[in-house]
Amino acid sequence: MLDIAIIGAGPAGLAAALRLHQKGFSPRIYETVPELKPLGVGLDVKTYAAEEFDQLGLLDEFRSISVEARESIFYNKYGQEIYAELCGKAAGYEYEQRFVHRGILQMLLYRTVIERLGDDAVVQGARLTSYDQDADKVTLHLQHADGRTEDVTADVLVAADGIKSVVRRQMHPESAEPVYSGITMWRGTTLMEPFRDGHTILHIGAPDISSMIVYPIADDFEGSGKSLVNWVVEATRDESIEDWNQLGSIDEVMHYYDQCKIPFLDVQQMLRDNREVYLFPLIRHDPLDSWTDGRVVLIGDAAHAMYPRGGNGACQSIVDGNTLATKLAEIADPAEALKAFEGERLKMVNAIVMSHRGEGYEVIRRMVEERTEGQPFDDIEKVLPLEEANAIFSGYHAMVGQKRIGFAQDEATGFRTDDALTGAKAGAEAAR
């Protein structure tokens, strides 16, 4: 049985360990931080990733820490509705789409790894500095938090060490220095009364100016009777360090939403009432032409770091672990197994990376901004017909492996809510 070492105890590394364990392997994870803590904000977990949790035997526990998504609604910068679609089971899929706090999900996966693989399955405070390999093994050079250094050998090295991957830097030194896109994200949470039915994700604004995504990630948070709501704002800004846990201030982006009037949500009040704000620059990590080096393989953000748009980064990372475990179980030669994993995943995931670098389905908000010349509209159907929007969304969902139910039968899978006409009139009057 192969001796497999995983670098990184984020969702990608932990999920990969669980998938490998299902195939009979006993991997060991090495994590840089001395103690894992539930840090971060929200994740949008798509239906195909919910299926992964079911196959891991964790669907019920995942449901208990997350919120079901039932609808997704898009607005211009005035708060006028552009388009809506149903999500998950509400749209006819077998599995739900769900919203969850990243840190809480990570701790669920961590606890499960310890329960199934043993107390020594995750070594914390162990930072990989580099690796060497020969025809038979890989040697990991580790630096421990107490100052010790250690060399560990393994048959396979799985690098799930994220956007600052040491393994990626060594494997692809020509791609070691990514480029700042000019766009920064402000990510935060607010404890508040649920909006709409408590199961809705909102997409707000003109992407060329500023864009906002809002969704709940916990019901009755800590017994408060309120929802913990995750929000993300994009806007241009000077470059900052690439760190998911860098603190920021909402004062820089409040003014973008002065004219935004949504009937059921006070956007500015939500931002002012934040519990935490993190700053993160969108960095362009160019897609790689290879994720493997002999017995070493990249997965997750280390392999395909993508802009956190469209909710597919973490989801695709979890799928990586499933495919990797399957190939290692089926193919005796580790290097050949890693190449087979790469062959199945690389081209498809790189296409998602490039789509997220653009706008994905969020392009409809830019289209409306351009077609209205930045002004409120009176009738969205004259600006962006439902049929046109449906085609855009169906193409995107098919690309990421979540083909829309009913579209092949020419069903109108998107819609406009009962508030759409009211919102159009209110937005137009507010702008005048």
Side-chain angles (χ1 to χ4, degrees):
M1 186 58 64
L2 294 174
D3 181 10
I4 301 173
I6 299 173
I7 303 299
L14 293 165
L18 293 172
R19 279 298 194 180
L20 287 162
H21 180 257
Q22 285 183 327
K23 296 296 184 180
F25 300 104
S26 297
R28 177 167 290 181
I29 301 175
Y30 297 91
E31 167 57 44
T32 297
V33 302
E35 181 183 0
L36 288 175
K37 297 180 180 179
L39 301 177
V41 283
L43 291 177
D44 178 2
V45 178
K46 303 301 188 184
T47 61
Y48 64 87
E51 182 176 6
E52 294 283 329
F53 288 118
D54 189 17
Q55 294 174 4
L56 285 170
L58 291 174
L59 186 56
D60 287 342
E61 291 177 81
F62 173 57
R63 284 170 173 162
S64 73
I65 64 168
S66 59
V67 177
E68 183 180 1
R70 295 177 186 163
E71 64 178 5
S72 179
I73 311 177
F74 295 74
Y75 298 88
N76 67 4
K77 64 189 177 187
Y78 300 105
Q80 295 178 284
E81 184 180 319
I82 295 171
Y83 182 77
E85 67 167 348
L86 297 176
C87 303
K89 282 193 170 183
Y93 293 102
E94 182 179 357
Y95 290 92
E96 310 101 302
Q97 177 179 336
R98 302 192 73 89
F99 308 131
V100 68
H101 188 289
R102 180 195 179 278
I104 295 174
L105 173 61
Q106 181 183 14
M107 298 313 290
L108 168 61
L109 293 170
Y110 170 66
R111 290 192 303 272
T112 306
V113 167
I114 297 301
E115 290 167 2
R116 297 182 184 179
L117 279 74
D119 292 340
D120 61 349
V122 181
V123 180
Q124 301 185 56
R127 180 175 64 89
L128 180 77
T129 58
S130 63
Y131 69 88
D132 297 310
Q133 65 177 312
D134 56 29
D136 300 317
K137 66 181 183 302
V138 183
T139 301
L140 289 63
H141 303 296
L142 301 173
Q143 175 79 51
H144 290 273
D146 60 8
R148 292 182 299 116
T149 59
E150 180 184 14
D151 290 345
V152 173
T153 61
D155 296 311
V156 173
L157 171 58
V158 179
D161 49 345
I163 53 176
K164 294 184 177 180
S165 171
V166 170
V167 178
R168 175 183 174 130
R169 182 177 288 269
Q170 181 174 336
M171 190 184 296
H172 294 281
E174 74 284 357
S175 300
E177 301 302 329
V179 178
Y180 176 48
S181 67
I183 301 170
T184 289
M185 302 180 73
W186 287 256
R187 300 165 61 90
T189 59
T190 300
L191 190 63
M192 56 188 286
E193 295 295 332
F195 59 83
R196 283 186 70 80
D197 62 353
H199 299 275
T200 300
I201 181 170
L202 309 178
H203 312 249
I204 306 166
D208 290 345
I209 302 172
S210 180
S211 178
M212 178 187 294
I213 310 296
V214 183
Y215 55 88
I217 55 176
D219 294 326
D220 189 21
F221 184 68
E222 296 180 343
S224 65
K226 296 183 178 181
S227 292
L228 185 64
V229 172
N230 178 84
W231 47 262
V232 182
V233 176
E234 288 186 12
T236 57
R237 186 188 187 276
D238 294 337
E239 184 177 3
S240 60
I241 61 173
E242 190 177 19
D243 182 353
W244 287 113
N245 299 312
Q246 178 187 183
L247 295 178
S249 170
I250 204 63
D251 294 340
E252 295 179 79
V253 294
M254 288 282 290
H255 66 281
Y256 289 120
Y257 300 94
D258 287 344
Q259 294 179 289
C260 185
K261 307 296 181 184
I262 294 177
F264 52 84
L265 178 65
D266 187 331
V267 171
Q268 287 215 332
Q269 190 64 49
M270 179 190 69
L271 296 176
R272 284 193 293 268
D273 290 344
N274 71 81
R275 300 173 77 245
E276 56 199 340
V277 181
Y278 297 102
L279 200 66
F280 185 78
L282 291 187
I283 303 296
R284 291 176 181 165
H285 294 269
D286 289 334
L288 302 173
D289 58 8
S290 174
W291 297 344
T292 60
D293 173 19
R295 291 170 173 260
V296 182
V297 64
L298 305 172
I299 69 170
D301 282 351
H304 44 75
M306 60 184 74
Y307 288 1
R309 296 170 171 168
N312 285 288
C315 297
Q316 291 296 327
S317 296
I318 292 168
V319 175
D320 283 346
N322 183 359
T323 306
L324 177 63
T326 298
K327 298 304 180 184
L328 285 168
E330 292 176 347
I331 302 173
D333 182 85
E336 290 183 11
L338 300 188
K339 275 295 183 185
F341 160 75
E342 177 185 273
E344 183 167 324
R345 296 284 294 153
L346 183 142
K347 184 176 180 180
M348 185 272 283
V349 180
N350 278 352
I352 301 175
V353 171
M354 295 309 296
S355 175
H356 283 207
R357 186 173 293 188
E359 295 161 294
Y361 53 50
E362 301 288 357
V363 69
I364 67 168
R365 291 189 283 127
R366 178 179 58 77
M367 292 166 64
V368 169
E369 176 77 3
E370 292 175 350
R371 292 177 183 182
T372 62
E373 297 181 343
Q375 298 302 308
F377 54 76
D378 293 317
D379 183 352
I380 184 58
E381 187 65 18
K382 294 179 180 178
V383 178
L384 180 70
L386 194 61
E387 182 179 357
E388 182 180 3
N390 269 330
I392 292 169
F393 275 70
S394 294
Y396 176 83
H397 290 315
M399 178 185 67
V400 302
Q402 186 174 290
K403 187 175 181 181
R404 287 178 113 183
I405 307 298
F407 186 77
Q409 289 75 42
D410 295 322
E411 296 177 14
T413 50
F415 64 100
R416 296 196 168 109
T417 74
D418 293 340
D419 293 330
L421 292 177
T422 302
K425 293 177 182 177
E429 291 171 359
R432 294 189 187 104

